[in-house]
Amino acid sequence: MKILIVDDSKSVHRLLEEMLDLPNLEFQHVYNGLEAISAIKETNFQADLILLDWEMPELSGIDTLPIIIKNHPNQTIFMMTTKNSMPEITDAMQKGAKDYIIKPFTKDIIIGKINSLLEGEY
């Protein structure tokens, strides 16, 4: 399984790799929305899951989300953010996010969401 992590914080990238220390996982790292768009435009792009931060420089996650969905309509994307109001959650889901993870989250939360979304592979 391949996961694209899109977050401007390198510490979040490290934390996610530590939390998701599971067999057969491969990670790709980008640090803002523009880098994410470049990554998905590569002809060999394949990710089973994109973990997309909301607040980033260059291009925010919420603005990146519909661009990714336009190019890859069936892409599985989890938004990661400290934003927790119902209108924000609804906005992300309407723009194509499959799930929403509120920071800070625990290992059990993220693994549980991955399990439920990807039909229990892990």
Side-chain angles (χ1 to χ4, degrees):
M1 181 167 117
K2 185 172 184 179
I3 297 175
L4 174 63
I5 301 172
V6 186
D7 197 298
D8 58 320
S9 170
K10 290 182 180 182
S11 63
V12 169
H13 287 258
R14 283 191 303 274
L15 178 66
L16 285 166
E17 280 205 39
E18 289 172 15
M19 286 180 164
L20 300 173
D21 184 19
L22 301 167
N24 303 318
L25 278 186
E26 179 184 339
F27 296 95
Q28 182 177 355
H29 300 274
V30 296
Y31 300 92
N32 63 56
L34 293 177
E35 289 179 6
I37 291 166
S38 292
I40 66 160
K41 286 185 178 179
E42 293 177 11
T43 55
N44 62 346
F45 175 78
Q46 291 181 335
D48 299 294
L49 174 62
I50 297 175
L51 298 175
L52 180 62
D53 185 31
W54 188 302
E55 297 176 271
M56 296 180 291
E58 307 286 332
L59 186 62
S60 72
I62 197 65
D63 292 332
T64 303
L65 179 60
I67 297 168
I68 293 173
I69 293 298
K70 180 180 178 186
N71 290 297
H72 295 272
N74 297 318
Q75 182 66 59
T76 301
I77 302 171
F78 288 175
M79 291 300 296
M80 303 184 298
T81 183
T82 58
K83 295 181 179 290
N84 62 4
S85 75
M86 191 48 82
E88 290 164 327
I89 293 169
T90 301
D91 185 33
M93 302 304 270
Q94 287 175 341
K95 288 182 177 175
K98 299 284 191 255
D99 210 333
Y100 196 92
I101 303 171
I102 298 173
K103 294 179 180 179
F105 48 83
T106 65
K107 179 178 181 173
D108 289 341
I109 289 172
I110 192 156
I111 289 176
K113 287 185 178 280
I114 290 171
N115 274 333
S116 67
L117 204 65
L118 300 179
E119 301 173 351
E121 284 184 44
Y122 290 91

